[in-house]
Amino acid sequence: MLASLAMQLAGSDIGRVTIMLYTQMPVALGLGWLAFCERPTIVAMLGGVLIVLAGASIPLVAVYKTERTTA
């Protein structure tokens, strides 16, 4: 519910909201590790790394596309 509200309020800057949605799960795993001292499984950690990489690729692709169109 809050994610849809954030998307509505973002308007044309929706890319920032999607980055937050990508990184939400790995951050939750890390906070759970710190708060409850429960180490996540290796599969969960690898999934978190993949999610962070996918989220980081969104602004990188946008920068690449704007550089190509202006050149």
Side-chain angles (χ1 to χ4, degrees), residues 30-40:
L31 289 175
W33 189 0
L34 290 173
F36 303 115
C37 297
E38 288 189 25
R39 186 169 184 229

Side-chain angles (χ1 to χ4, degrees), residues 50-65:
L50 287 175
I51 289 171
V52 169
L53 290 175
S57 71
I58 292 172
L60 294 176
V61 168
V63 168
Y64 177 73
K65 283 183 180 179

Side-chain angles (χ1 to χ4, degrees), residues 12-71:
S12 63
D13 260 350
I14 197 138
R16 292 183 181 177
V17 177
T18 56
I19 293 170
M20 183 272 305
L21 292 175
Y22 274 111
T23 59
Q24 188 173 349
M25 187 58 69
V27 169
L29 283 172
L31 289 175
W33 189 0
L34 290 173
F36 303 115
C37 297
E38 288 189 25
R39 186 169 184 229
T41 63
I42 191 73
V43 175
M45 287 190 276
L46 288 174
V49 168
L50 287 175
I51 289 171
V52 169
L53 290 175
S57 71
I58 292 172
L60 294 176
V61 168
V63 168
Y64 177 73
K65 283 183 180 179
T66 56
E67 287 179 356
R68 285 191 57 137
T69 57
T70 58

